[in-house]
């Protein structure tokens, strides 16, 4: 099939613009024809367009897509098609990729620790104007490498965003401790940056897959405290990413709850009119945008040996224990009425850490040769693949199917796993 392309974990090949979704094949048909013995990545650009549009329409500020979550060009185009015009990049490669695809995009360099070369190239060659920092030495680096260190010249358009540290929170992936300036230091950085900045901002990141909307309002209060302590006018409050999606047995409150909490707490800071909100969603825009079809190579009891694993696109199913939606695919055989049973997966490498406990509910009669479609892998799936042990070959196809798990309904009642809400 002409729309299939092989590629390795690290190379990003440009493919043609996604066909109109209705013209794309269904994933079952692709599996029936191709009988893939290597992992098949089934991209759903329409789901990404939809999730991006919903976020852009619902969030009262600028939406920066966090590119690290999924840098696949066809999903980046889907994010753009959904109305996103700002991109949160963290490396020179991400900056170059986004600039190559979208000459008019606003690119924000949101890694608090950058090489001098990366800063210089981003500023001079790729037109990046906004940089995040959480230390005085990073501020000095940015000012020097963008030629803004001698005379303050805000008219050159430099945007500086100070990332504040957050206490340990309740995100599934807690990122406190690595980045962020403590309150006093953040205030000092805001004062030091103000004369050089066309735009001055405060940012935070509550961690990924954060189930509790009040994590944002608590972080907002800290941002407010840093701004007050600095005595400076601030133009931007950037609330970061971390917006959650549904996984089996994990249904976050509707996205509107998060937006309302952010807006309410932002209003209560009483900042001057014109202060803008930014958000940096990754997972929330792209999780439904890809599944991976794997093949069972052996069954041993309730363990399935499959051809993808924690060194491939199932990294978060390993140590982090993410459970993804699954369905068995058996294109040639009549439907079976076997009941569901709980299975764990072993990945293809020889490392005993290449195990995914799940449990994953699949038909009891699953056997060697069957395929399994694993959903919600548009976020932190393919981008985490390695070539360890030589298992780096996959195929990629765009399909018209909806995601295996539909996203969070905009107004559905909240059901949150209690252990995830406990502080
Ligand atoms: C990873 C990251 C994001 C995106 O996080 P999601 O959980 O995918 O929404 C946003 N901002 C920063 C600073 C990040 O490191």
């Amino acid at each position: 099939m002409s729309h299939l392309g092989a590629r390795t974990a690290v190379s990003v090949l440009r493919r043609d613009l996604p066909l109109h979704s209705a013209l794309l094949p269904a994933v079952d048909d692709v599996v029936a024809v191709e009988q893939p013995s290597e992992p098949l990545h089934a991209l759903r650009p329409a789901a990404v367009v939809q999730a991006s549009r919903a976020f852009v329409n619902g969030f009262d500020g600028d939406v920066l897509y966090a590119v690290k979550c999924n840098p696949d060009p066809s999903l980046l185009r889907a994010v753009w098609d959904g109305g996103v015009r700002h991109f949160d990049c963290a490396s020179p490669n991400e900056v170059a990729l986004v600039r190559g695809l979208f000459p008019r995009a606003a690119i924000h360099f949101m890694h608090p620790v950058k090489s001098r070369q990366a800063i210089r190239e981003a500023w001079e060659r790729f037109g990046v104007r906004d940089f995040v920092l959480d230390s005085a030495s990073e501020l000095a680096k940015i000012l020097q490498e963008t030629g803004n260190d001698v005379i303050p010249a805000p008219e050159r358009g430099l945007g500086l965003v100070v990332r504040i540290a957050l206490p340990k929170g309740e995100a599934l992936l807690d990122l406190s401790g690595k980045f962020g300036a403590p309150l006093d230091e953040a205030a000092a950085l805001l004062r030091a940056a103000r004369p050089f900045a066309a735009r001055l901002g405060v940012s935070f990141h509550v961690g990924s897959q954060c189930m509790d909307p009040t994590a944002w309002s608590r972080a907002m209060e800290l941002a407010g405290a840093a701004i007050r302590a600095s005595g400076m006018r601030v133009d931007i409050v950037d609330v970061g990413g971390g917006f959650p999606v549904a996984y089996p047995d994990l249904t976050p409150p509707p996205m509107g709850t998060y937006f309302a909490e952010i807006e309410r707490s932002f209003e209560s800071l009483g900042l001057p009119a014109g202060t803008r909100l930014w958000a940096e969603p990754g997972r929330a825009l792209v999780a439904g945008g890809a599944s991976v079809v794997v093949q069972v190579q052996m069954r041993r009891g309730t363990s399935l040996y499959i051809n993808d694993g924690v060194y491939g696109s199932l990294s978060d199913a390993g140590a982090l224990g993410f459970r993804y939606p699954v369905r068995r695919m058996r294109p040639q055989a009549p439907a079976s009425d076997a009941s569901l049973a709980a299975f764990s997966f072993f990945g293809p490498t020889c490392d005993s850490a290449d195990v995914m406990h799940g449990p994953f509910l699949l038909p009891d009669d699953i056997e060697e040769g069957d395929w399994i479609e694993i959903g919600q892998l548009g976020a932190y799936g393919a981008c985490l693949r390695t070539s360890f042990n030589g298992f780096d070959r996959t195929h990629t196809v765009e399909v018209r199917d909806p995601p295996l798990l539909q996203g969070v309904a905009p107004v559905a009642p909240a059901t949150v796993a209690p252990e995830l809400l406990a502080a």
Side-chain angles (χ1 to χ4, degrees), residues 43 45 85 160 165 179 406:
L43 305 184
R85 295 292 177 268
L160 293 168
F179 296 127
Q406 291 299 332

Side-chain angles (χ1 to χ4, degrees), residues 66 68-69 88 163 205 208-209 241-243 280-283 380:
K68 77 166 185 280
C69 189
D88 161 1
R163 176 149 161 193
H205 184 48
S208 206
Q209 185 67 13
F243 301 91
E280 307 167 348
R283 188 187 302 276
Y380 306 109

Side-chain angles (χ1 to χ4, degrees), residues 146-159:
T146 59
N148 282 290
D149 55 327
V150 182
I151 309 161
E155 68 280 3
R156 299 186 62 203
L158 178 65

Side-chain angles (χ1 to χ4, degrees), residues 55 64-69 88 90 110-112 132 163 173 175 179 203-210 216 238-244 279-286 379-380:
F55 203 108
L64 288 58
Y65 171 60
V67 173
K68 77 166 185 280
C69 189
D88 161 1
M110 301 310 273
H111 195 304
V132 79
R163 176 149 161 193
L173 279 80
L175 303 175
F179 296 127
S203 77
F204 53 79
H205 184 48
V206 297
S208 206
Q209 185 67 13
C210 183
W216 277 267
D238 175 353
V239 302
F243 301 91
E280 307 167 348
R283 188 187 302 276
L285 305 193
V286 295
Y380 306 109

Side-chain angles (χ1 to χ4, degrees), residues 67-333:
V67 173
K68 77 166 185 280
C69 189
N70 191 328
D72 187 288
S74 65
L75 295 191
L76 286 171
R77 285 192 199 96
V79 166
W80 177 275
D81 290 345
V84 173
R85 295 292 177 268
H86 298 257
F87 292 82
D88 161 1
C89 292
S91 65
N93 277 351
E94 288 183 356
V95 169
L97 172 68
V98 172
R99 184 53 81 221
L101 290 171
F102 313 117
R104 291 180 297 119
I107 302 178
H108 310 265
F109 209 145
M110 301 310 273
H111 195 304
V113 185
K114 298 166 283 296
S115 78
R116 288 182 175 272
Q117 159 89 11
I119 297 166
R120 198 163 54 242
E121 236 195 9
W123 172 266
E124 282 175 8
R125 179 158 169 230
F126 295 109
V128 175
R129 288 295 168 267
D130 295 322
F131 296 85
V132 79
L133 59 109
D134 67 0
S135 68
S137 67
E138 188 74 7
L139 174 60
K141 257 157 62 179
I142 294 168
L143 295 178
Q144 286 160 11
E145 297 306 323
T146 59
N148 282 290
D149 55 327
V150 182
I151 309 161
E155 68 280 3
R156 299 186 62 203
L158 178 65
L160 293 168
V161 178
V162 174
R163 176 149 161 193
I164 59 169
L166 298 183
K168 193 167 160 45
E170 47 286 288
L172 283 194
L173 279 80
D174 192 17
L175 303 175
S176 64
K178 181 160 181 180
F179 296 127
L183 195 69
D184 295 357
E185 217 176 305
L189 288 170
L190 287 169
R191 280 193 295 275
R194 181 71 269 183
F196 298 93
R199 285 173 302 291
L200 182 65
V202 173
S203 77
F204 53 79
H205 184 48
V206 297
S208 206
Q209 185 67 13
C210 183
M211 299 295 286
D212 181 3
T214 67
W216 277 267
S217 38
R218 276 177 275 131
M220 189 75 79
E221 280 166 31
L222 286 177
I227 295 168
R228 279 192 304 277
S230 76
M232 295 289 115
R233 181 180 55 78
V234 157
D235 310 290
I236 300 145
V237 176
D238 175 353
V239 302
F243 301 91
V245 299
Y247 293 95
D249 293 342
L250 192 58
T251 306
M255 201 58 80
T257 312
Y258 293 81
F259 296 156
E261 190 69 19
I262 288 167
E263 275 166 44
R264 185 194 59 68
S265 56
F266 179 60
E267 295 294 317
S268 75
L269 295 188
L271 298 174
T275 313
R276 266 195 92 64
L277 273 175
W278 289 2
E280 307 167 348
R283 188 187 302 276
L285 305 193
V286 295
S291 67
V292 180
V293 178
V294 301
Q295 192 170 31
V296 178
Q297 294 173 330
M298 189 181 79
R299 173 175 179 173
R300 180 180 278 151
T302 57
S303 296
L304 301 175
Y305 291 70
I306 60 175
N307 59 357
D308 201 3
V310 304
Y311 295 98
S313 54
L314 299 172
S315 175
D316 285 350
L320 292 175
F322 268 66
R323 293 179 57 209
Y324 295 100
V326 290
R327 70 176 180 112
R328 191 254 301 269
M329 302 177 73
R330 222 181 222 184
Q332 253 80 17

